[in-house]
């Protein structure tokens, strides 16, 4: 392929590529220096002695020695002229495509070769996914089926785009947000890794802090035990009083919820809770009195 490109760029072509023409005719058109047929529009070049050459060969020959390579007649570059009749004949000769070895069956005129090669379906192209060479006519179909083509993961909520041949390993990796895992809080539900945080907010066995943690309660436990804990939480009364003293529009909803909860509590339970608080307080006073008494003695 690279050799054919160099030959075409140099403006001459091997006679074996010409078809539907007597070989003897083609041989008469050969450059006597390189034995190739000059095919550029401004070739072949003719000297005053009537000999024909391709541009590259004759210009190099004249630069080395100012004479015709065949009959040694003195001449210079300024003497060169395009042989228009011969050039027109060459332009109409039939030739094989540059990609005949790749399977292109076309036979076309030299003048049409460049346009055909530009869009020939047998021209080698490179897949943008796997970088493997493919005929241009097959490239689109190959890229649609290429194992290296990028595809979305497809497991919600993962948004990664990954090469097809790596898709299975990606879905089993820790990077994939859609990989299924068992709830780490122990509820037994199987969920996607990317939804663990959202699941934690509703998981019945998730460990959460007391709603009065901002007032000093250090309790933490399962969501199912939270309501039972709050009913006995000593900080519940403190939090309610604090909210009334510093109530803002944002606190209003919290206060209404606390008041509703207190109405539900029975008188007996509330009295028992209050008695426990008093006993704790009296115990602390008694303890302080004992310490003071011992110091004075």
């Amino acid at each position: 392929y690279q050799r054919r490109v160099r030959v075409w760029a140099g403006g001459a072509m091997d006679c074996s590529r010409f078809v539907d023409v007597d070989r003897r005719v083609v041989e008469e058109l050969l450059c006597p220096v390189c034995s190739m047929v000059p095919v550029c529009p401004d070739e072949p070049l003719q000297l005053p002695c009537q000999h024909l050459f391709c541009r590259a060969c004759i210009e190099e020959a004249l630069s080395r020695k100012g004479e015709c390579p065949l009959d040694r007649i003195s001449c210079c570059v300024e003497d060169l002229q395009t042989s228009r009749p011969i050039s027109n004949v060459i332009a109409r000769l039939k030739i094989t495509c540059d990609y005949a070895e790749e399977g292109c069956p076309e036979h076309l005129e030299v003048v049409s070769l460049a346009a055909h090669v530009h869009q020939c379906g047998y021209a080698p192209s490179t897949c943008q996914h796997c970088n493997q060479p493919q005929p241009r006519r097959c490239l689109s179909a190959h890229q649609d089926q290429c194992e290296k083509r990028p595809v979305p993961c497809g497991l919600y909520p993962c948004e990664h785009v990954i090469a097809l041949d790596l898709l299975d390993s990606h879905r089993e990796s820790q990077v994939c947000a859609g990989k299924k895992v068992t709830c780490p809080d122990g509820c037994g539900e199987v969920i996607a890794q990317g939804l663990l945080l959202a699941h934690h907010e509703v998981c019945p066995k998730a460990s959460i802090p007391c709603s009065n943690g901002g007032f000093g309660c250090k309790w933490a436990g399962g969501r199912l035990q939270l309501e039972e804990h709050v009913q006995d939480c000593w900080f519940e009364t403190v939090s309610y009083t604090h909210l009334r003293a510093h109530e803002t529009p944002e606190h209003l909803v919290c206060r209404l919820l606390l008041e509703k909860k207190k109405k539900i509590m029975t008188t007996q339970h509330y009295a028992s809770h209050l008695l426990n608080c008093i006993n704790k307080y009296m115990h602390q006073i008694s303890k302080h009195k004992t310490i003071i008494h011992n110091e004075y003695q």
Side-chain angles (χ1 to χ4, degrees):
Y1 168 67
Q2 293 177 346
R3 179 179 178 275
R4 288 200 301 272
V5 171
R6 289 197 298 270
V7 169
W8 174 253
M13 201 164 290
D14 191 280
C15 64
S16 62
R17 291 187 55 183
F18 290 85
V19 295
D20 301 333
V21 62
D22 193 311
R23 187 175 184 83
R24 292 172 295 180
V25 174
V26 178
E27 290 175 351
E28 291 297 323
L29 301 173
L30 297 178
C31 169
V33 177
C34 64
S35 297
M36 306 283 279
V37 179
V39 293
C40 285
D42 61 346
E43 295 179 333
L45 296 180
Q46 188 177 41
L47 288 175
C49 59
Q50 304 301 308
H51 290 130
L52 301 173
F53 302 89
C54 65
R55 178 176 296 276
C57 290
I58 191 57
E59 287 185 349
E60 181 180 356
L62 294 179
S63 66
R64 293 181 177 181
K65 194 172 183 180
E67 62 183 21
C68 174
L70 297 181
D71 56 19
R72 307 302 180 185
I73 295 177
S74 178
C75 55
C76 61
V77 174
E78 287 73 17
D79 296 327
L80 294 172
Q81 290 186 350
T82 300
S83 177
R84 188 58 58 191
I86 302 300
S87 178
N88 292 340
V89 169
I90 294 175
R92 296 303 177 184
L93 294 178
K94 292 291 186 70
I95 194 171
T96 59
C97 173
D98 284 0
Y99 304 108
E101 293 182 3
E102 282 74 19
C104 182
E106 294 293 329
H107 294 168
L108 53 153
E109 293 181 349
V110 171
V111 70
S112 306
L113 180 62
H116 169 78
V117 167
H118 181 69
Q119 59 184 4
C120 180
Y122 291 85
S125 298
T126 302
C127 174
Q128 61 178 330
H129 307 314
C130 65
N131 293 323
Q132 294 298 314
Q134 296 290 331
R136 183 182 293 158
R137 63 194 178 92
C138 303
L139 183 62
S140 179
H142 166 79
Q143 291 186 153
D144 290 342
Q145 301 295 325
C146 181
E147 293 186 354
K148 293 288 185 180
R149 71 183 187 275
V151 294
C153 171
L155 296 181
Y156 180 81
C158 184
E159 297 181 352
H160 275 80
V161 176
I162 197 78
L164 179 63
D165 61 338
L166 300 177
L167 184 59
D168 291 340
S169 59
H170 164 77
R171 288 177 172 177
E172 294 298 325
S173 70
Q174 297 301 317
V175 177
C176 180
K179 180 184 178 181
K180 301 298 183 181
V181 294
T182 304
C183 173
D185 295 315
C187 73
E189 185 172 350
V190 178
I191 51 178
Q193 288 185 129
L195 300 177
L196 282 177
L197 291 178
H199 173 74
H200 180 78
E201 298 298 323
V202 297
C203 180
K205 292 194 175 183
S207 180
I208 58 175
C210 175
S211 55
N212 298 316
F215 303 108
C217 183
K218 302 299 183 182
W219 181 88
R223 181 173 278 106
L224 296 178
Q225 289 77 45
L226 177 62
E227 184 175 353
E228 180 181 349
H229 161 75
V230 171
Q231 292 178 357
D232 297 328
C233 182
W234 185 81
F235 291 92
E236 183 75 359
T237 303
V238 177
S239 63
Y240 176 76
T241 305
H242 179 82
L243 285 173
R244 290 301 301 272
H246 303 85
E247 188 170 57
T248 64
E250 289 78 10
H251 291 146
L252 178 60
V253 175
C254 295
R255 180 172 68 80
L256 293 176
L257 290 174
L258 288 172
E259 288 179 351
K260 181 179 180 180
K261 187 187 299 183
K262 290 183 181 297
K263 289 179 182 179
I264 296 175
M265 294 174 65
T266 63
T267 303
Q268 180 180 2
H269 181 79
Y270 183 76
S272 175
H273 177 71
L274 182 60
L275 182 60
N276 288 336
C277 293
I278 293 174
N279 288 337
K280 291 179 181 179
Y281 180 70
M282 294 301 294
H283 177 72
Q284 291 179 355
I285 293 177
S286 176
K287 184 177 180 180
H288 284 293
K289 284 183 176 182
T290 302
I291 294 174
I292 295 172
H293 179 71
N294 292 336
E295 288 179 354
Y296 277 101
Q297 287 182 348

